Amino acid sequence: MSDIIVKPRGTLDYLGDEMKLYDSVQSELSKMAVSYGAIKAEPPIFEETRLFVRGVGESSDIVSKEMFGLNTKGEHDYVLRPEFTAGINRLSIENKLYASPDLPIKMFYCGPVFRFERPQKGRLREFNQFGVEFLDKKIDLLTSLDCLILYYRGGEKVLGRDLKLRINYLGSFQSRENYKKALKDFYAPHLSQMCPDCQRRYNENVLRILDCKVEEDKELNKDAPLITDYLLPEDKMQLEQVERALDELNIGYELDPMLVRGLDYYTGLVFELYDPMNMDLGALGGGGQYGNLMKEIGGPDFEGIGFSYGMERLLLALSLERKNKMLEEETTAMDFFLIDLRADKDNKPVILADELRSNGLKVASSSYGKALSGALKMADRLHSRYSLIFDDYNPGKVLIKNMNKRTQDEYGLEDIDKLANHLCGLI
Ligand code: AMP
């Protein structure tokens, strides 16, 4: 064998049970998003670089450090998408969804995103996000709450237990400006000792310093002013309404004034979800409200609110019990398993299988070279209910072996339609 080519660092191959679990989580979340009136959307996997530079913001790590650029021979400046929100907003502008009389626009998505990060547990270079975006001229309380509740309930349903919700309110433009000024005044005397990233953030988006992972800066952040002290009365009222709704819904949460989220576009409500049993995984997902994104990328003056879960982190957090339950529901047990041992083959098994599958039944088969005992073992491994054996000891007939009871019957091959009918009746 020549050199084995392996997958790139920070990527995953999905197959077997992991693939089934992925599909099952996606299907669970999709059903839930549909029940909130959302429809599925799928922007392309690559987009123009400036969509993310303008949409997500230059000071965010994902744009400044982590984008996967594509070499398109200088024709266009494209990158693999590092997130969905900017693409979904671009799609809404290009397809004039904003002109719809039916607002808010509600969309959900699921697919791969790419970030050039240092791979480690729960941190990949290609990973998958499931998320929603709700867009409207003005995001009202009902839409915000719908989004937040869907976010919490989705995670709760998939993992089957209570999760830890962290929320914060970044306030209106004016509150944030006042707060940014207070932060700048606070950091100014310490700036020369802070990390180079924070020195850049100080000018580009000072809020993001609160997100810094460097120990010394984290220590300093403990004494930083809090956004909650800078909210205007109307912001405070909005936050109180959200808190009251969460209380009334019995959804536990923690108000974390340090939560600013990694992307530049957030305003108003922001939130993250953690699994108390897997805190080392980091956030299972995050989201929040944004004010200027659509305008920033050439669209109308719309607002949005959305979230995304990291699919891989949800899968890592699944308990063994949940996994088994999901796999049970996703069972691919075969109805029939074909074994053709005859020296001279004809097309009857193929025609029969086609007929059975047209009736919605699941039919698999072994390769010709397998002996009967090996083929029956394979039939068992695929949880087949019946094996259909064609051999030279029973010319013109098929043996129908009940794999549970280990009993056997036979049936003539003259009329395949009649045989198919008989077999359908067994299931
Ligand atoms: P973000 O778009 O950065 O808010 O990320 C949303 C969610 O995607 C996070 O909460 C994680 O669950 C997941 N995520 C972000 N980055 C990665 C990564 N490098 N590998 C795996 N999952 C990630």
Side-chain angles (χ1 to χ4, degrees):
M1 250 200 287
S2 57
D3 271 355
I4 297 175
I5 299 172
V6 298
K7 61 185 177 306
R9 232 159 75 80
T11 65
L12 292 176
D13 288 324
Y14 273 103
L15 76 168
D17 283 353
E18 277 302 301
M19 187 77 255
K20 285 186 198 161
L21 291 170
Y22 180 98
D23 284 344
S24 169
V25 169
Q26 184 184 350
S27 140
E28 194 80 71
L29 293 172
S30 303
K31 267 190 252 154
M32 199 173 253
V34 167
S35 78
Y36 280 67
I39 53 165
K40 191 169 184 191
E42 201 166 297
I45 286 181
F46 65 95
E47 297 260 12
E48 280 198 51
T49 308
R50 61 197 176 120
L51 172 66
F52 302 107
V53 171
R54 275 159 54 182
V56 180
E58 258 170 306
S59 82
S60 64
D61 283 355
I62 70 170
V63 168
S64 63
K65 298 189 207 155
E66 297 169 1
M67 290 221 280
F68 269 92
L70 295 177
N71 181 352
T72 47
K73 303 200 174 86
E75 187 195 333
H76 282 292
D77 201 0
Y78 290 134
V79 286
L80 295 176
R81 64 181 177 215
E83 57 105 60
F84 270 92
T85 305
I88 294 283
N89 275 267
R90 195 244 342 113
L91 166 160
S92 305
I93 300 168
E94 200 168 331
N95 294 282
K96 297 198 172 51
L97 301 187
Y98 56 80
S100 158
D102 304 324
L103 297 175
I105 304 162
K106 288 182 169 179
M107 278 177 287
F108 71 97
Y109 56 78
C110 186
V113 294
F114 304 83
R115 296 183 191 174
F116 199 74
E117 297 201 71
R118 204 163 58 79
Q120 52 195 287
K121 186 182 173 200
R123 194 162 288 284
L124 295 153
R125 289 179 169 174
E126 182 190 22
F127 59 99
N128 292 275
Q129 287 190 332
F130 180 99
V132 310
E133 304 298 336
F134 294 174
L135 309 171
D136 204 340
K137 289 180 183 138
K138 181 118 196 61
I139 295 293
D140 55 31
L141 186 67
L142 177 63
T143 306
S144 290
L145 287 173
D146 256 4
C147 183
L148 184 60
I149 297 166
L150 169 56
Y151 176 61
Y152 183 83
R153 295 286 185 226
E156 178 187 58
K157 180 100 198 266
V158 167
L159 296 182
R161 56 174 177 258
D162 288 349
L163 299 173
K164 195 176 164 78
L165 179 65
R166 274 195 192 143
I167 64 168
N168 191 16
Y169 202 81
L170 300 181
S172 58
F173 180 75
Q174 197 48 52
S175 330
R176 248 190 358 274
E177 287 307 298
N178 297 343
Y179 180 51
K180 279 184 184 170
K181 185 169 175 323
L183 280 180
K184 282 200 158 181
D185 291 345
F186 170 77
Y187 289 122
H190 307 281
L191 202 56
S192 57
Q193 289 103 58
M194 293 169 73
C195 78
D197 275 339
C198 281
Q199 295 187 10
R200 180 173 52 83
R201 289 168 184 148
Y202 183 86
N203 292 315
E204 286 175 359
N205 185 353
V206 65
L207 280 177
R208 301 241 19 258
I209 295 182
L210 296 172
D211 238 2
C212 185
K213 304 286 181 288
V214 174
E215 268 322 306
E216 292 76 17
D217 295 347
K218 267 166 73 179
E219 203 51 40
L220 180 64
N221 280 338
K222 286 185 184 157
D223 298 323
L226 298 177
I227 179 81
T228 26
D229 295 329
Y230 290 82
L231 293 178
L232 298 177
E234 58 268 30
D235 292 327
K236 283 200 174 130
M237 223 168 65
Q238 288 275 336
L239 174 59
E240 277 162 18
Q241 278 179 307
V242 172
E243 293 189 270
R244 207 172 315 129
L246 290 173
D247 287 337
E248 283 168 11
L249 289 158
N250 280 324
I251 296 179
Y253 66 92
E254 182 190 314
L255 178 62
D256 176 2
M258 299 293 278
L259 177 67
V260 290
R261 308 267 310 119
L263 317 182
D264 280 0
Y265 49 57
Y266 290 109
T267 59
L269 186 65
V270 289
F271 38 85
E272 283 185 348
L273 198 59
Y274 291 80
D275 175 12
M277 319 230 327
N278 288 287
M279 288 303 282
D280 60 319
L281 272 183
L284 297 174
Q289 198 173 331
Y290 42 90
N292 290 327
L293 203 166
M294 253 214 201
K295 230 163 85 185
E296 201 68 53
I297 58 172
D301 194 3
F302 260 51
E303 298 180 346
I305 186 164
F307 65 75
S308 64
Y309 298 111
M311 289 290 283
E312 285 70 19
R313 293 201 191 165
L314 284 179
L315 290 171
L316 282 168
L318 280 178
S319 67
L320 196 60
E321 195 188 346
R322 286 291 297 157
K323 280 187 186 179
N324 288 339
K325 186 153 186 301
M326 283 181 173
L327 290 172
E328 227 169 80
E329 285 162 8
E330 282 280 304
T331 174
T332 46
M334 290 292 135
D335 297 307
F336 293 103
F337 189 81
L338 301 184
I339 304 171
D340 191 350
L341 302 166
R342 297 170 303 173
D344 293 323
K345 318 281 190 207
D346 58 19
N347 288 331
K348 285 188 175 159
V350 176
I351 296 164
L352 177 63
D354 180 54
E355 193 116 339
L356 293 171
R357 289 177 185 135
S358 313
N359 279 291
L361 299 177
K362 285 178 253 156
V363 185
S365 55
S366 68
S367 47
Y368 285 159
K370 239 185 203 351
L372 180 60
S373 60
L376 287 173
K377 279 185 192 146
M378 179 171 168
D380 277 332
R381 283 193 293 273
L382 296 184
H383 310 289
S384 314
R385 294 176 68 178
Y386 292 91
S387 285
L388 303 178
I389 304 164
F390 301 76
D391 66 13
D392 289 327
Y393 300 109
N394 300 283
K397 294 205 173 106
V398 60
L399 302 179
I400 306 168
K401 189 176 180 74
N402 183 319
M403 298 299 285
N404 277 332
K405 297 186 185 147
R406 292 319 227 212
T407 54
Q408 205 161 285
D409 252 335
E410 54 181 49
Y411 207 93
L413 282 172
E414 317 73 55
D415 186 340
I416 294 288
D417 281 351
K418 223 170 117 200
L419 169 59
N421 259 338
H422 172 71
L423 294 174
C424 287
L426 296 179
I427 301 299

